[in-house]
Amino acid sequence: MITVASSGKASRATDSAGTEVLPVDVETISESTETALSMQMATSTRKDMDTALPEIVGHLNLLLGEDLGADEDEDVRELFRTGYRLLDLQNRPTAETPSFGAFIYLRDAADVTRRLLWIYTQRHGLGAP
């Protein structure tokens, strides 16, 4: 597979079968995580959190599919373990989860995503997010 790092949305990569593969959009992920991490419990509604969550989870899932050096680096491996734990459906907030629980989950997911994005940019020689 050929991976193309992009801070824009126009570039695309293809795998060996010629299938289009979306590159990691550093700018979008950076903005999404920044927005989620800047939310405050006192001023954010549950709807705000529920709206932000699928995007953050999607970014986290995308970055967990990248080769970020987990085989060589225990810290990266630990981030991967945390990320996979967050993606587990049993750990995700539901409609019955109190707002505080959804808020903490969103912040945790955004934090791990942001940290994985930083590792991604370092491994690909890109500017820090």
Side-chain angles (χ1 to χ4, degrees):
M1 176 185 295
I2 302 168
T3 304
V4 177
S6 172
S7 62
K9 296 179 183 173
S11 300
R12 296 288 181 257
T14 56
D15 64 15
S16 58
T19 306
E20 185 174 304
V21 177
L22 296 176
V24 172
D25 186 341
V26 173
E27 185 177 326
T28 297
I29 296 172
S30 182
E31 289 171 5
S32 298
T33 55
E34 182 65 32
T35 298
L37 291 170
S38 67
M39 285 183 171
Q40 296 180 10
M41 183 64 201
T43 58
S44 300
T45 67
R46 177 61 189 261
K47 184 178 179 186
D48 293 338
M49 294 175 229
D50 290 345
T51 299
L53 193 55
E55 185 174 21
I56 296 297
V57 167
H59 295 323
L60 177 57
N61 194 38
L62 175 68
L63 288 166
L64 288 172
E66 293 294 316
D67 177 10
L68 301 179
D71 292 340
E72 308 91 35
D73 189 326
E74 178 59 35
D75 292 334
V76 175
R77 243 187 328 273
E78 183 57 34
L79 280 174
F80 268 64
R81 281 191 286 270
T82 301
Y84 284 121
R85 198 168 31 255
L86 287 165
L87 289 180
D88 187 331
L89 290 175
Q90 294 180 359
N91 295 325
R92 291 193 201 176
T94 65
E96 291 77 37
T97 304
S99 292
F100 183 73
F103 179 77
I104 295 300
Y105 178 90
L106 176 61
R107 288 192 57 85
D108 288 349
D111 178 61
V112 171
T113 302
R114 185 78 172 195
R115 292 167 68 190
L116 289 171
L117 181 64
W118 184 85
I119 293 166
Y120 178 86
T121 61
Q122 298 305 301
R123 287 186 64 87
H124 290 85
L126 303 171

